[in-house]
Amino acid sequence: MLPEGFDRDQFIAGLREKHARILPPDIVFSVENGWLPLIADSLRDIERVLEKHGWIGRAGVRQIKEKLGDLRIYVKPNFESYSFPKALQNDLAKVREAFGERSIVTCEICADPGSVGNFDGYYQCLCPRHASQRLKWIAGGRNGDPFHD
């Protein structure tokens, strides 16, 4: 569960500052608030892996998003002519898999335990409360905010 009074903008600003070596200033966090703590942990691990392999300044995060109900954070070399060595690829894959697995059991909205569901063709990991709200929103013609109490 996210703490009371969670401030998305402040949290993201802190991530931008803490991980400025791997996050471009204009990167978009295309996920809901519940996954921001997962992203924080993932960025920590990605930065450690890039540091370990000497790739700080030569690679960074290019995209953060939800796809088919799980978290995707794409890390790429800064130049297309660069390619990751196999050991770095393997370490980044371990980070990606670990946080992908955590995201499919964490509600994207509130960070409570959840599961991936198909909501009229849109896959999203939601807790029972937010899944119910999304289904009501769909049944009601998709008007307004699907995640209201």
Side-chain angles (χ1 to χ4, degrees), residues 30-139:
S30 299
V31 300
E32 299 291 341
N33 291 348
W35 281 357
L36 291 176
L38 288 179
I39 291 170
D41 292 346
S42 182
L43 292 175
R44 176 200 63 220
D45 290 359
I46 290 166
E47 191 161 6
R48 285 180 186 163
V49 166
L50 292 174
E51 181 89 62
K52 171 184 165 186
H53 291 277
W55 275 75
I56 295 292
R58 296 177 15 178
V61 174
R62 297 292 169 254
Q63 192 173 29
I64 300 170
K65 68 180 192 172
E66 174 276 331
K67 184 172 182 180
L68 298 174
D70 71 71
L71 175 63
R72 307 286 174 100
I73 298 177
Y74 297 100
V75 181
K76 305 236 182 207
N78 291 345
F79 301 101
E80 278 196 45
S81 60
Y82 291 178
S83 59
F84 290 143
K86 193 68 169 167
L88 174 55
Q89 289 178 28
N90 291 340
D91 284 351
L92 288 172
K94 288 175 189 171
V95 172
R96 181 176 52 252
E97 290 167 17
F99 288 96
E101 288 174 11
R102 285 178 57 189
S103 73
I104 61 170
V105 295
T106 304
C107 179
E108 188 181 351
I109 306 303
C110 68
D112 283 355
S115 61
V116 176
N118 180 345
F119 300 93
D120 200 26
Y122 181 76
Y123 293 89
Q124 192 169 20
C125 186
L126 299 173
C127 65
R129 180 178 69 132
H130 287 113
S132 175
Q133 288 174 344
R134 179 167 279 288
L135 290 171
K136 286 178 189 171
W137 176 75
I138 291 168

